[in-house]
């Protein structure tokens, strides 16, 4: 069994079943997730007999780093193999006062948003809890190797890598709760952000299960345009999404929702688009994050000009909304938002049709 798949409660139940005391799971958690020790024989406060037994029961499976790309701005992108020719990407983003890790939750994504490289790469499978948590473990290991003795750790996690986190609900909720646990990474709820394209029922379930910061990828403020850009909108249209966001506020660790809005030239970036957006969001405590569209081959979008991004931003601010323009990080290594495509053995119908066409 992969130890990274366990939350502390389940580990404790399992170990109690084998006659161990409750605190044994606390100790193992501290070794694995805090001291980053993955070898039972080094867990010196466990008895020799238990170390031997545990190493026969558990393994600590960490995806292998297949490639590392370093950006000029300090951003790193790791390509992690998750077996059978599939690989996902994790992005490490150091800043002055925080170090953010952008984690993947699926191999590819089936939702096929028109402007997203991950969507265009198809979909293979959900990541397991262990594969998600191990991304954070690996990044912390990197930090402790690079800055020995300094106890530097990842301070923020965003589920904005490959995949739609709320489609992989169970594994994402479990991994987020492991990240929050004081016996492991101890991140505060405000420092773990789940970004979703708008899986309405899952937003409600997340409020009950593990309410962390919520970011919603909006990108359009009417159904006609959003249906085209974010096809899941056909299933969960805007009025349902907005209602779910209002309900979520009650549970959110931040008293606002972040709305992400990718700036696409002549598609969603005019003053009239800004006015519609203002109207849509006027009753929700929120922050709007304008994301300059990051290019990738084979699609016909282009990024809005700086001038129109600024104009859009000013419209929102003048109407009293809080808007920021996201600084693009890692774009020289294709690590910026929406540029992650990893290596996906696409097994969607779309992918199969594409293969047939090419042969
Ligand atoms: N599936 C989730 C999280 C991953 S995408 C979601 O859609 O929210 C993280 C963010 O990057 C989303 O807001 C997404 O819409 C945005 N994005 C996707 N492709 C992009 C691109 N090429 N340029 C800029 N942002 C992009
Ligand atoms: Fe999937 Fe998010 Fe990309 Fe849409 S934007 S295809 S939901 S990863």
């Amino acid at each position: 069994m992969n130890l990274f798949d366990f939350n502390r409660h389940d580990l404790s139940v399992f170990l109690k079943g084998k006659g161990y005391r409750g605190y044994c799971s606390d100790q193992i958690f501290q070794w694995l997730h805090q001291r980053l020790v993955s070898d039972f024989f080094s867990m010196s406060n466990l008895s020799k007999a238990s170390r031997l037994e545990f190493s026969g029961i558990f393994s600590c499976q960490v995806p292998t780093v297949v490639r590392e790309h370093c950006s000029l701005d300090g951003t790193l992108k790791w390509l992690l193999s998750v077996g059978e020719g599939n690989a996902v990407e994790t992005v490490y983003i150091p800043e002055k006062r925080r170090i953010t890790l952008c984690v993947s939750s699926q191999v590819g994504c089936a939702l096929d948003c028109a402007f997203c490289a991950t969507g265009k790469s198809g979909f293979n499978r959900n990541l397991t809890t262990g594969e998600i948590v191990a991304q954070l473990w690996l990044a912390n290991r990197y930090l402790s190797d690079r800055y020995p003795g300094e106890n530097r750790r990842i301070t923020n996690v965003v589920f904005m890598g490959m995949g739609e986190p709320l489609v992989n609900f169970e594994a994402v909720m479990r991994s987020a709760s492991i990240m929050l646990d004081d016996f492991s990474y101890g991140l505060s709820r405000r420092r773990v952000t789940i970004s979703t394209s708008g899986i309405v029922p899952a937003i409600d379930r997340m409020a009950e299960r593990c309410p962390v910061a919520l970011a919603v990828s909006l990108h359009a403020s009417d159904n006609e345009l959003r249906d085209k850009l974010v096809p899941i909108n056909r299933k969960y249209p805007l009025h349902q999404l907005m209602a779910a966001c209002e309900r979520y506020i009650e549970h959110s660790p931040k008293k606002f929702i972040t709305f992400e809005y990718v700036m696409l030239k002549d598609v969603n970036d005019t003053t009239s688009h800004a006015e519609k957006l203002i109207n849509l969001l006027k009753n929700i405590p929120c922050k709007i994050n304008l994301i300059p569209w990051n290019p990738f081959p084979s699609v016909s979008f282009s990024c809005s000009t700086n001038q129109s991004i600024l104009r859009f931003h000013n419209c929102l601010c003048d109407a009293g909304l809080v808007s920021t323009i996201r600084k693009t990080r890692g774009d020289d290594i294709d690590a910026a938002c929406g540029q992650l495509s990893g290596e996906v053995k696409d097994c969607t119908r779309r992918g199969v049709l594409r293969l047939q066409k090419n042969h």
Side-chain angles (χ1 to χ4, degrees):
M1 290 186 290
N2 183 4
L3 191 56
F4 280 107
D5 280 326
F6 280 80
N7 62 27
R8 195 156 50 90
H9 174 263
D10 290 353
L11 185 61
S12 151
V13 170
F14 178 81
L15 293 179
K16 277 185 190 156
K18 295 207 156 293
Y20 289 96
R21 299 265 170 83
Y23 61 76
C24 192
S25 55
D26 300 352
Q27 290 172 316
I28 294 179
F29 249 55
Q30 285 171 318
W31 279 111
L32 179 66
H33 298 294
Q34 292 184 349
R35 300 203 203 180
L36 311 172
V37 168
S38 57
D39 151 34
F40 280 105
F41 291 98
S42 307
M43 300 186 182
S44 52
N45 57 0
L46 304 179
S47 74
K48 282 222 168 89
S50 64
R51 285 187 244 171
L52 191 64
E53 184 174 12
F54 295 157
S55 59
I57 299 174
F58 300 109
S59 60
C60 299
Q61 292 163 24
V62 183
T64 32
V65 180
V66 193
R67 265 200 303 277
E68 179 183 89
H69 291 279
C70 310
S71 162
L72 291 172
D73 65 19
T75 301
L76 295 177
K77 180 172 82 166
W78 292 301
L79 180 69
L80 307 177
S81 161
V82 290
E84 298 180 342
N86 287 310
V88 295
E89 294 179 318
T90 302
V91 185
Y92 162 96
I93 310 159
E95 286 170 287
K96 249 201 191 122
R97 278 193 211 90
R98 60 183 179 192
I99 310 175
T100 303
L101 191 71
C102 175
V103 298
S104 290
S105 55
Q106 298 184 304
V107 182
C109 182
L111 299 190
D112 198 21
C113 296
F115 51 85
C116 171
T118 306
K120 296 296 155 209
S121 66
F123 173 75
N124 185 276
R125 68 169 174 88
N126 284 332
L127 292 185
T128 62
T129 302
E131 287 166 335
I132 299 170
V133 174
Q135 295 174 56
L136 178 54
W137 187 90
L138 261 174
N140 279 335
R141 262 309 277 265
Y142 164 82
L143 278 167
S144 77
D145 291 345
R146 175 149 183 204
Y147 306 101
E150 290 188 27
N151 205 29
R152 285 202 209 189
R153 291 290 186 264
I154 296 293
T155 60
N156 295 60
V157 172
V158 293
F159 283 76
M160 294 186 187
M162 292 167 66
E164 167 49 55
L166 294 188
V167 168
N168 184 11
F169 189 80
E170 269 309 306
V172 164
M173 291 296 106
R174 280 174 73 85
S175 58
S177 69
I178 294 170
M179 293 171 184
L180 301 177
D181 188 338
D182 282 340
F183 283 82
S184 53
Y185 304 92
L187 296 177
S188 84
R189 289 184 187 281
R190 301 164 54 84
R191 289 175 177 268
V192 175
T193 302
I194 291 186
S195 172
T196 179
S197 54
I199 314 294
V200 166
I203 295 177
D204 288 321
R205 283 161 63 208
M206 173 176 155
E208 296 301 322
R209 180 74 182 275
C210 186
V212 292
L214 179 66
V216 172
S217 299
L218 199 56
H219 311 318
S221 38
D222 64 70
N223 283 319
E224 196 189 342
L225 179 58
R226 197 163 190 271
D227 281 353
K228 289 190 195 129
L229 297 178
V230 185
I232 195 69
N233 192 68
R234 296 176 204 152
K235 190 161 181 193
Y236 304 115
L238 278 170
H239 68 277
Q240 289 187 22
L241 179 57
M242 289 303 128
C245 291
E246 279 176 35
R247 294 192 292 275
Y248 194 81
I249 289 282
E250 303 290 311
H251 303 262
S252 171
K254 288 184 175 169
K255 289 300 154 222
F256 61 88
I257 308 275
T258 302
F259 288 102
E260 293 159 288
Y261 195 98
V262 67
M263 299 300 295
L264 299 164
K265 186 173 181 204
D266 300 333
V267 174
N268 66 355
D269 66 346
T270 65
T271 323
S272 87
H273 290 115
E275 278 158 9
K276 266 194 206 163
L277 184 62
I278 292 163
N279 202 33
L280 183 73
L281 299 182
K282 62 179 187 275
N283 295 324
I284 301 186
C286 66
K287 202 162 143 181
I288 301 145
N289 207 199
L290 302 178
I291 315 175
W293 181 70
N294 294 305
F296 61 92
S298 79
V299 285
S300 56
F301 292 108
S302 41
C303 182
S304 309
T305 59
N306 285 344
Q307 199 188 359
S308 40
I309 297 178
L310 217 61
R311 187 186 54 204
F312 200 93
H313 167 76
N314 288 338
C315 273
L316 303 180
C317 295
D318 290 347
L321 292 175
V322 182
S323 157
T324 51
I325 300 171
R326 185 177 290 173
K327 206 166 72 200
T328 295
R329 296 290 304 259
D331 52 343
D332 54 336
I333 54 166
D334 286 350
C337 289
Q339 288 183 318
L340 306 182
S341 52
E343 283 169 12
V344 182
K345 299 278 166 258
D346 187 10
C347 53
T348 58
R349 200 174 129 69
R350 193 161 32 98
V352 173
L353 288 175
R354 198 183 305 130
L355 262 181
Q356 284 169 350
K357 215 169 102 192
N358 292 343
H359 286 98

